[in-house]
Amino acid sequence: MGSPPQEIRNGSAAVRAPLDAGDFRRAVGRFATGVTILTTIVEGRHLGMTANSFVSVSLDPLLVLAGIRRDARFHDPLLAAGVWGVSVLAADMTEASGFFARHAYEQPGDMFAQWPHTIGEQTGVVLLDGALSVFECRTVSTHPGGDHTLVIGEVVSLEQSRDDAAPLVFFEGKYLDTTPSREPVPRPGRWH
């Protein structure tokens, strides 16, 4: 990569045309992500939403981060609860992804009734059966991030229950076919 532009090196603000949010969304959509269902519990009610803004943050202590839109129905309950779960979806869980992205809050009663699940022993949140891995988290900090809140959680429990499936991957607004090819793909060198 080349040097940063002169105005950045000198610390001065440059006047540039504003970037288009649609262009940004399309460009960032070219970064393939996994898909998760985030869950929490407030006043005995289990809530969930589909999210792909989820990353690991630290190994010591074990921390993860989820980005939640401030106008999402899930936002305020998650912040109030202080506990949450993450179910990392397998490729055969596209129906669950779509349900929790669009229709979960429209369902009367228990939004998890049609989805096999367990209740996390450490936090009491729903963890979806069939997920590649699941995490239970306790919120340790939150940070404003534009129209999102960045929620950092300490992992208090985790399980990797499924080795028989590929991950559900989202790219350019659609799911990718992650069926393993018959041709071996060389592994990348060490990442920095």
Side-chain angles (χ1 to χ4, degrees):
M1 287 175 48
S3 299
Q6 183 69 34
E7 63 271 9
I8 294 174
R9 288 193 306 255
N10 294 338
S12 63
V15 177
R16 296 186 181 193
L19 298 176
D20 178 72
D23 289 343
F24 175 77
R25 187 177 186 123
R26 284 185 293 281
V28 83
R30 296 186 61 92
F31 180 69
T33 64
V35 182
T36 68
I37 302 296
L38 302 180
T39 57
T40 196
I41 182 169
V42 176
E43 298 175 358
R45 183 165 185 230
H46 292 283
L47 303 171
M49 71 169 251
T50 302
N52 63 351
S53 295
F54 170 75
V55 295
S56 63
V57 173
S58 169
L59 293 175
D60 186 17
L62 298 177
L63 299 176
V64 294
L65 178 148
I68 312 296
R69 281 187 64 101
R70 289 192 328 232
D71 63 356
R73 293 184 204 175
F74 188 78
H75 180 272
D76 292 346
L78 173 67
L79 269 55
V83 294
W84 40 291
V86 181
S87 298
V88 178
L89 300 187
D92 58 5
M93 299 178 80
T94 58
E95 191 175 337
S97 173
F99 175 82
F100 287 99
R102 291 186 298 275
H103 304 296
Y105 285 86
E106 299 167 5
Q107 302 299 311
D110 180 5
M111 69 173 61
F112 292 94
Q114 70 187 60
W115 307 103
H117 62 274
T118 57
I119 302 298
E121 292 181 14
Q122 300 297 313
T123 61
V125 299
V126 166
L127 303 169
L128 292 182
D129 294 351
L132 295 178
S133 57
V134 294
F135 304 86
E136 290 181 82
C137 306
R138 293 191 194 284
T139 301
V140 295
S141 64
T142 61
H143 306 274
D147 59 3
H148 281 59
T149 297
L150 306 178
V151 182
I152 297 179
E154 181 175 11
V155 176
V156 296
S157 173
L158 63 88
E159 185 177 327
Q160 302 170 66
S161 58
R162 199 164 170 203
D163 293 327
D164 66 330
L168 183 58
V169 177
F170 199 67
F171 179 75
E172 293 188 326
K174 59 185 178 281
Y175 301 114
L176 286 183
D177 179 3
T178 56
T179 307
S181 68
R182 299 188 191 280
E183 295 293 320
V185 176
R187 295 186 124 173
R190 187 172 189 157
W191 294 6
H192 298 276

